Amino acid sequence: MKRNLMYAALLAAALMVSCNGKNTAQNETNTDSTSVTDTTASENLDLTAVAGTYEGTLPAADCPGIKTVLTINADSTYQLQQDYIDRKDGHDEASGVLQVLDNSVLMLVRPSSGDHTFYKVKDSSIIMTDSLGNEPEGETAKLYVLTKK
């Protein structure tokens, strides 16, 4: 139970920062990019099979949700687009490298800030997790899933 509360608190804090931290103008996008290729990806997870575009709406602390489109490439890079619902300045884009942890957890690294986001690979979807790969539990668990398109 303590682990669930800790996970919920960490996730809520991360989402509050992400929603409240938007300072882009209405017609501008905040784009992070890098040309560095990560060579530390695990040999056990076939990124070719995982590669593709995943979509869904993630929960947010101060808006109805975050429409998310995440493209994972076989060369260990990613592109992320997020639109914060009902926020006029709520568009964010990032691209960077990812690392594979424990053969099924993807760690996305945002180059400009060094922030990490974690997703666990499951069948034809990925699930947002904490840094240890723990999935959300309970009734809200289904809200953290991005489905492959």
Side-chain angles (χ1 to χ4, degrees):
M1 184 69 170
K2 280 186 176 182
R3 185 174 86 181
N4 289 344
L5 290 174
M6 182 177 69
Y7 175 77
L10 288 173
L11 192 55
L15 290 173
M16 284 189 342
V17 168
S18 66
C19 277
N20 290 329
K22 301 293 170 224
N23 291 325
T24 57
Q26 184 171 359
N27 294 326
E28 294 179 359
T29 59
N30 180 14
T31 303
D32 292 331
S33 65
T34 185
S35 60
V36 176
T37 301
D38 178 33
T39 58
T40 63
S42 170
E43 296 171 5
N44 295 326
L45 181 65
D46 180 12
L47 279 179
T48 305
V50 175
T53 300
Y54 297 81
E55 297 179 2
T57 301
L58 299 173
D62 65 348
C63 56
I66 307 166
K67 289 183 182 179
T68 303
V69 178
L70 173 60
T71 301
I72 297 172
N73 302 307
D75 66 352
S76 298
T77 60
Y78 74 89
Q79 290 82 38
L80 177 67
Q81 296 178 8
Q82 295 181 306
D83 289 301
Y84 294 77
I85 299 171
D86 294 341
R87 303 271 316 252
K88 66 179 181 178
D89 61 347
H91 181 76
D92 186 39
E93 292 185 14
S95 60
V97 295
L98 63 89
Q99 295 178 12
V100 180
L101 311 174
D102 294 333
N103 195 33
S104 66
V105 176
L106 304 175
M107 178 176 73
L108 282 56
V109 180
R110 188 177 279 249
S112 65
S113 64
D115 289 342
H116 301 109
T117 307
F118 301 89
Y119 292 93
K120 183 179 276 187
V121 178
K122 279 209 165 172
D123 301 321
S124 63
S125 62
I126 56 175
I127 301 166
M128 187 178 213
T129 68
D130 65 10
S131 62
L132 300 174
N134 297 317
E135 298 176 32
E137 296 176 351
E139 294 178 21
T140 61
K142 65 184 178 213
L143 301 176
Y144 295 90
V145 177
L146 301 179
T147 306
K148 193 170 190 176
K149 298 299 173 188

